[in-house]
C-alpha cells in the first residue's frame, strides 16, 4: 500500500500543472480508491493521465467535466442524504485503508483548489470533493466545500453579471445537484436514433427538492439579458425536464417564457443544430444546410 501513497505524491510533484489540474487528478485518484480499483489508481498518477486531464479540464469541461459532476452526484446521493440525517457511513469490510487514502487524496485536492485563481473549474471540483468526502465519511471536509459553494451561489444571486465563468460554474453544479436527485439527461439536439432517457422512480419529496433547485437557477439567470444564452438555455432545459416528467402545464409555461426571450414561437428552437466538427448553433428556426470541410479528414 506504500505505492498508493506515492501516487498522491506523484500528482503533487507535477509542478508544471496548475493547482486546479492537480486537484482534478487527485479527485479522480480518490474516486479510484473509493471504488477499490487499484489498477485504475496506478494509471491515474501516470504522466499521460495528467496530460489527458489537462485536455478534459481546460478544453472540454462542458462535455466531460460537468458530466462527471452529474455522475458523482448521482452515485453519492444516498450517502449525502444519510449525512443530513446523521447516519454513519461504513466502509466495506477490509477496505478501510482505501477509504483513508481516498480521504487523504481529497484533502490534498481541496488544498490545491484553495491555491487556484481559476474562476470556473474549482467550483465544479469543490462540488465533486464535497460528494466524495461524504462517501469517505469526512463530513467536516464536505461541509467546508459546501460553504464555498453556497457563498458562490449567494454571490451570483446578488449579481450574476459580475463574473461569467463563476455564473456558469454555479449553474453547472446546481444542475448536477438536481441530477443527483432525479437523473434525467436533457439532450441538446433532437435525435431520431435515441429516445429521451427513461424517467426513474422518484418521490414527491424528491421532486419538490429537485424543482426547488431548478427554480433557484431560473431566479438567478433572470438577471441576465434576454439574449443571454445561459438564460435561454435554462428555460429551454426546464421545458424538456417538465415534459419528460409528464408535467405538460409547467412545460408549456416555460416554453412561452423561452419564446418571448428568443422572439420565435416555434418548437424547432428547442434543439440545437449542428454546424460541423462537433459545434452547435442555437435559437434558429431555419434548418442549416451547408457544406463544411474542416480539414479533419
Amino acid at each position: 500500500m506504500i505505492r498508493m501513497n506515492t501516487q498522491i505524491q506523484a500528482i503533487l510533484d507535477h509542478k508544471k500543472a496548475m493547482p486546479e489540474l492537480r486537484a482534478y487528478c487527485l479527485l479522480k485518484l480518490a474516486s479510484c480508491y473509493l471504488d477499490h480499483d487499484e489498477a485504475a489508481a496506478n494509471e491515474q498518477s501516470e504522466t499521460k493521465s495528467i496530460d489527458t486531464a489537462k485536455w478534459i479540464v481546460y478544453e472540454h469541461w462542458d462535455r466531460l467535466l460537468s458530466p462527471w459532476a452529474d455522475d458523482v452526484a448521482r452515485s453519492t446521493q444516498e450517502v449525502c442524504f444519510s449525512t443530513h440525517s446523521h447516519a454513519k457511513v461504513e466502509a466495506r469490510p477490509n477496505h478501510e485503508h482505501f477509504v483513508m487514502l481516498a480521504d487523504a487524496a481529497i484533502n490534498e485536492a481541496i488544498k490545491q483548489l484553495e491555491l487556484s485563481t481559476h474562476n470556473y473549474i474549482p467550483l465544479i471540483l469543490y462540488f465533486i470533493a464535497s460528494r466524495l468526502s461524504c462517501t469517505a465519511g469526512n463530513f467536516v471536509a464536505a461541509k467546508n466545500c459546501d460553504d464555498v459553494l453556497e457563498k458562490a451561489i449567494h454571490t451570483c444571486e446578488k449579481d450574476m453579471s459580475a463574473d461569467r465563468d463563476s455564473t456558469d460554474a454555479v449553474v453547472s453544479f446546481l444542475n448536477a445537484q438536481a441530477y443527483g436527485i432525479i437523473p434525467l439527461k436533457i439532450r441538446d439536439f433532437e435525435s431520431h436514433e435515441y429516445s429521451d432517457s427513461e424517467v426513474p422512480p422518484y418521490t414527491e419529496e424528491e421532486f419538490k427538492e429537485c424543482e426547488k433547485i431548478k427554480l433557484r437557477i431560473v431566479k438567478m439567470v433572470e438577471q441576465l439579458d434576454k439574449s443571454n444564452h445561459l438564460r435561454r438555455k435554462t428555460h429551454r432545459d426546464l421545458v424538456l425536464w417538465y415534459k419528460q416528467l409528464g408535467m405538460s402545464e409547467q412545460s408549456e409555461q416555460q416554453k412561452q417564457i423561452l419564446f418571448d426571450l428568443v422572439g420565435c414561437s416555434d418548437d424547432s428552437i428547442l434543439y440545437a443544430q449542428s454546424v460541423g466538427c462537433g459545434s452547435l448553433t442555437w435559437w434558429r428556426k431555419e434548418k442549416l444546410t451547408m457544406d463544411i470541410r474542416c480539414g479533419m479528414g
Side-chain angles (χ1 to χ4, degrees):
M1 282 299 180
I2 293 176
R3 188 179 179 187
M4 290 291 216
N5 290 305
T6 62
Q7 292 167 348
I8 296 175
Q9 192 60 51
I11 295 173
L12 292 173
D13 288 343
H14 202 73
K15 302 301 183 183
K16 291 184 178 181
M18 298 296 287
E20 62 274 5
L21 183 58
R22 289 194 292 270
Y24 169 86
C25 293
L26 287 163
L27 291 174
K28 292 294 284 187
L29 182 62
S31 184
C32 294
Y33 289 147
L34 291 171
D35 289 338
H36 308 136
D37 192 339
E38 188 171 357
N42 289 336
E43 294 179 2
Q44 191 58 48
S45 60
E46 295 177 357
T47 300
K48 63 180 181 180
S49 293
I50 296 174
D51 291 340
T52 300
K54 185 176 181 180
W55 179 75
I56 293 171
V57 169
Y58 296 114
E59 297 184 37
H60 296 281
W61 61 263
D62 54 337
R63 288 189 289 174
L64 298 172
L65 184 57
S66 292
W68 184 38
D70 288 348
D71 292 341
V72 170
R74 185 56 184 170
S75 64
T76 60
Q77 184 66 19
E78 184 177 350
V79 172
C80 289
F81 267 125
S82 64
T83 301
H84 297 312
S85 61
H86 306 288
K88 271 193 172 182
V89 178
E90 297 182 2
R92 280 181 273 179
N94 304 319
H95 290 285
E96 293 86 355
H97 199 58
F98 275 97
V99 176
M100 290 174 60
L101 286 169
D103 187 44
I106 296 165
N107 286 333
E108 292 296 337
I110 293 172
K111 291 178 184 177
Q112 294 300 312
L113 292 176
E114 291 170 351
L115 298 174
S116 176
T117 58
H118 200 281
N119 292 332
Y120 178 92
I121 296 164
L123 289 176
I124 301 296
L125 296 181
Y126 268 117
F127 175 80
I128 292 171
S130 170
R131 292 306 185 97
L132 294 182
S133 291
C134 282
T135 307
N138 190 338
F139 304 133
V140 173
K143 175 64 166 56
N144 290 338
C145 291
D146 289 343
D147 288 345
V148 172
L149 297 173
E150 196 62 32
K151 182 179 179 181
I153 294 172
H154 287 314
T155 298
C156 283
E157 286 176 331
K158 290 180 180 178
D159 183 10
M160 284 200 75
S161 63
D163 187 334
R164 172 60 191 273
D165 287 338
S166 294
T167 295
D168 286 348
V170 167
V171 171
S172 184
F173 73 69
L174 282 175
N175 274 322
Q177 185 180 348
Y179 182 84
I181 302 169
I182 302 178
L184 279 181
K185 289 289 187 184
I186 307 299
R187 299 184 183 279
D188 283 346
F189 54 90
E190 192 170 20
S191 173
H192 299 293
E193 298 180 22
Y194 304 100
S195 58
D196 292 334
S197 60
E198 183 178 346
V199 178
Y202 60 89
T203 65
E204 182 66 20
E205 181 183 0
E206 288 172 333
F207 167 74
K208 288 181 178 179
E209 185 174 356
C210 193
E211 185 184 43
K212 182 179 179 181
I213 296 169
K214 295 282 188 181
L215 295 180
R216 188 178 189 182
I217 297 172
V218 167
K219 188 175 180 180
M220 284 193 294
V221 301
E222 288 303 286
Q223 302 176 50
L224 302 172
D225 293 337
K226 291 181 66 173
S227 60
N228 182 274
H229 176 74
L230 182 60
R231 182 178 177 184
R232 292 177 173 183
K233 184 72 160 46
T234 297
H235 285 289
R236 174 265 182 193
D237 287 352
L238 201 49
V239 170
L240 299 181
W241 187 75
Y242 278 128
K243 181 181 178 182
Q244 288 191 48
L245 293 178
M247 299 180 178
S248 56
E249 182 178 346
Q250 293 92 327
S251 177
E252 186 63 29
Q253 288 174 352
Q254 290 299 320
K255 187 190 294 185
Q256 293 308 314
I257 294 172
L258 176 64
F259 285 168
D260 179 64
L261 293 175
V262 178
C264 175
S265 301
D266 193 291
D267 282 3
S268 63
I269 66 169
L270 291 173
Y271 296 97
Q273 297 185 51
S274 173
V275 292
C277 299
S279 298
L280 301 174
T281 186
W282 287 88
W283 323 124
R284 294 179 64 100
K285 177 181 176 181
E286 302 82 7
K287 293 293 183 182
L288 296 177
T289 56
M290 56 185 69
D291 182 18
I292 299 175
R293 295 180 177 85
C294 62
M296 295 179 65

